[in-house]
Amino acid sequence: MAAGKSAAAAREAWLVFEDEAGQSMRPPRARTWGRVGCTPVVRVRGRGGGRVSMAGLSCYKPGQRSRMFYSFHVYRGRKGEKKGLTWQDYRDLLIRAHIQLGGPIVLVWDNLRAHLMPPMQEFIKASKDWLTVFQLPSYAPDLNPQEGIWSLVKRTIGNLAAADIDQLARAVKRSLKRLQYRPHLIDGCLATTGLIMDG
């Protein structure tokens, strides 16, 4: 009976993959059209810095539209400013996803330091009624569909010569928002991993 209940609970849960990425002022390389023999060149300002940090959740459940949530932080290089996302940011992202998905979550993520911090582990234990966590192997980007999301984001901002970090942040955020409304692309990122959702 207990085994049957746990199997039913697993069917009701969302399978969620988490990953993080960052983008500096140096644009990712991308292909574009150009005249034969004339390689297009994108000039980037040497000065200026900062970084856009992102954490994302790709969410899947048989019979439901795939979802994607993200958290976002812009580091402008100011003194005393936090450089990236903290364990609290990851916790808040999970809570927001849980509320919006309206059900339990089976979370798959890597061994990022913020994931393993004692306060985060305490949060996971305190949330065991709706959160189950599995760690990916040390380096397994090919098993994480969220990596495909980052690839799509970087493709849309390829060759962007942003004037400043705020313009870059707007472009990244716009790309992430577009992806949230395209569940077929989120599904495609799962398909590229070779993982299958049993209905």
Side-chain angles (χ1 to χ4, degrees):
M1 187 71 173
K5 281 185 179 177
S6 62
R11 281 193 298 274
E12 291 172 8
W14 285 81
L15 178 59
V16 176
F17 294 87
E18 190 277 342
D19 193 48
E20 52 288 326
Q23 181 59 51
S24 66
M25 288 292 291
R26 182 184 293 267
R29 294 172 76 185
R31 293 176 180 257
T32 185
W33 293 99
R35 289 183 181 174
V36 176
C38 297
T39 303
V41 176
V42 176
R43 302 200 180 279
V44 182
R45 291 183 179 187
R47 68 180 187 279
R51 184 172 181 81
V52 175
S53 299
M54 304 165 279
L57 301 174
S58 297
C59 312
Y60 305 93
K61 185 178 177 181
Q64 297 286 334
R65 178 176 67 89
S66 298
R67 308 280 296 277
M68 193 268 291
F69 301 93
Y70 65 89
S71 188
F72 196 79
H73 176 71
V74 180
Y75 171 64
R76 294 179 174 80
R78 296 172 184 156
K79 190 174 181 180
E81 182 184 12
K82 72 173 185 175
K83 292 189 176 180
L85 297 165
T86 64
W87 74 268
Q88 293 100 326
D89 295 313
Y90 293 101
R91 177 202 61 196
D92 295 346
L93 178 61
L94 287 170
I95 292 170
R96 183 160 43 98
H98 170 56
I99 292 168
Q100 293 194 33
L101 294 172
I105 288 173
V106 175
L107 175 66
V108 181
W109 64 5
D110 59 18
N111 296 311
L112 184 73
R113 186 167 168 264
H115 299 167
L116 305 175
M117 291 185 75
M120 177 58 88
Q121 294 302 308
E122 288 169 20
F123 164 72
I124 292 169
K125 284 179 188 172
S127 308
K128 63 182 178 183
D129 58 323
W130 62 269
L131 179 62
T132 305
V133 178
F134 291 96
Q135 302 288 145
L136 282 167
S138 293
Y139 187 71
D142 52 324
L143 296 176
N144 196 334
Q146 188 61 36
E147 291 279 357
I149 298 290
W150 301 142
S151 178
L152 291 170
V153 170
K154 295 201 175 191
R155 195 179 306 167
T156 61
I157 62 168
N159 295 334
L160 170 70
D164 54 35
I165 194 68
D166 291 315
Q167 184 186 359
L168 174 64
R170 285 192 300 273
V172 170
K173 200 167 189 177
R174 189 166 49 245
S175 178
L176 286 165
K177 279 188 172 293
R178 278 198 200 117
L179 285 168
Q180 285 185 311
Y181 293 98
R182 289 168 171 78
H184 64 284
L185 293 178
I186 302 170
D187 288 337
C189 291
L190 179 65
T192 58
T193 66
L195 302 173
I196 298 170
M197 288 288 290
D198 289 328

PDB file of all heavy atoms in Angstrom, residues 5 87 98 126 129 140 185:
ATOM      1  N   LYS A   5       1.166   4.281  -2.806  1.00  0.00           N
ATOM      2  CA  LYS A   5       0.981   5.697  -2.500  1.00  0.00           C
ATOM      3  C   LYS A   5       2.159   6.519  -2.986  1.00  0.00           C
ATOM      4  O   LYS A   5       2.003   7.602  -3.524  1.00  0.00           O
ATOM      5  CB  LYS A   5       0.800   5.888  -0.986  1.00  0.00           C
ATOM      6  CG  LYS A   5      -0.586   5.571  -0.499  1.00  0.00           C
ATOM      7  CD  LYS A   5      -0.709   5.891   0.974  1.00  0.00           C
ATOM      8  CE  LYS A   5      -2.125   5.593   1.458  1.00  0.00           C
ATOM      9  NZ  LYS A   5      -2.256   5.827   2.900  1.00  0.00           N
ATOM     10  N   TRP A  87      22.169  31.498  -1.757  1.00  0.00           N
ATOM     11  CA  TRP A  87      21.301  30.354  -1.471  1.00  0.00           C
ATOM     12  C   TRP A  87      19.863  30.809  -1.222  1.00  0.00           C
ATOM     13  O   TRP A  87      18.929  30.103  -1.563  1.00  0.00           O
ATOM     14  CB  TRP A  87      21.838  29.535  -0.292  1.00  0.00           C
ATOM     15  CG  TRP A  87      21.642  30.169   1.058  1.00  0.00           C
ATOM     16  CD1 TRP A  87      22.502  30.971   1.730  1.00  0.00           C
ATOM     17  CD2 TRP A  87      20.479  30.042   1.888  1.00  0.00           C
ATOM     18  NE1 TRP A  87      21.965  31.368   2.922  1.00  0.00           N
ATOM     19  CE2 TRP A  87      20.717  30.796   3.063  1.00  0.00           C
ATOM     20  CE3 TRP A  87      19.256  29.372   1.773  1.00  0.00           C
ATOM     21  CZ2 TRP A  87      19.793  30.906   4.087  1.00  0.00           C
ATOM     22  CZ3 TRP A  87      18.337  29.473   2.798  1.00  0.00           C
ATOM     23  CH2 TRP A  87      18.604  30.227   3.938  1.00  0.00           C
ATOM     24  N   HIS A  98       6.998  26.293  -6.622  1.00  0.00           N
ATOM     25  CA  HIS A  98       6.066  25.404  -5.922  1.00  0.00           C
ATOM     26  C   HIS A  98       4.664  26.019  -5.852  1.00  0.00           C
ATOM     27  O   HIS A  98       3.663  25.341  -6.103  1.00  0.00           O
ATOM     28  CB  HIS A  98       6.600  25.129  -4.511  1.00  0.00           C
ATOM     29  CG  HIS A  98       5.626  24.430  -3.622  1.00  0.00           C
ATOM     30  ND1 HIS A  98       5.041  23.228  -3.944  1.00  0.00           N
ATOM     31  CD2 HIS A  98       5.116  24.779  -2.413  1.00  0.00           C
ATOM     32  CE1 HIS A  98       4.228  22.850  -2.965  1.00  0.00           C
ATOM     33  NE2 HIS A  98       4.253  23.793  -2.035  1.00  0.00           N
ATOM     34  N   ALA A 126      13.176  20.818   5.834  1.00  0.00           N
ATOM     35  CA  ALA A 126      11.929  21.385   6.342  1.00  0.00           C
ATOM     36  C   ALA A 126      10.806  21.351   5.297  1.00  0.00           C
ATOM     37  O   ALA A 126       9.637  21.480   5.650  1.00  0.00           O
ATOM     38  CB  ALA A 126      12.164  22.825   6.796  1.00  0.00           C
ATOM     39  N   ASP A 129       7.799  17.654   2.669  1.00  0.00           N
ATOM     40  CA  ASP A 129       6.433  17.289   2.294  1.00  0.00           C
ATOM     41  C   ASP A 129       6.117  17.651   0.843  1.00  0.00           C
ATOM     42  O   ASP A 129       5.190  17.088   0.252  1.00  0.00           O
ATOM     43  CB  ASP A 129       5.424  17.944   3.245  1.00  0.00           C
ATOM     44  CG  ASP A 129       5.535  19.463   3.261  1.00  0.00           C
ATOM     45  OD1 ASP A 129       6.668  19.975   3.174  1.00  0.00           O
ATOM     46  OD2 ASP A 129       4.485  20.137   3.352  1.00  0.00           O
ATOM     47  N   ALA A 140      27.563  16.990 -15.567  1.00  0.00           N
ATOM     48  CA  ALA A 140      26.656  16.275 -16.464  1.00  0.00           C
ATOM     49  C   ALA A 140      25.705  17.243 -17.159  1.00  0.00           C
ATOM     50  O   ALA A 140      24.487  17.127 -17.042  1.00  0.00           O
ATOM     51  CB  ALA A 140      25.879  15.222 -15.681  1.00  0.00           C
ATOM     52  N   LEU A 185       9.601  24.757 -26.962  1.00  0.00           N
ATOM     53  CA  LEU A 185      11.062  24.879 -26.868  1.00  0.00           C
ATOM     54  C   LEU A 185      11.572  24.267 -25.574  1.00  0.00           C
ATOM     55  O   LEU A 185      12.633  23.636 -25.551  1.00  0.00           O
ATOM     56  CB  LEU A 185      11.473  26.355 -26.955  1.00  0.00           C
ATOM     57  CG  LEU A 185      11.238  27.045 -28.300  1.00  0.00           C
ATOM     58  CD1 LEU A 185      11.646  28.517 -28.225  1.00  0.00           C
ATOM     59  CD2 LEU A 185      12.001  26.336 -29.419  1.00  0.00           C
TER      60      LEU A 185
END
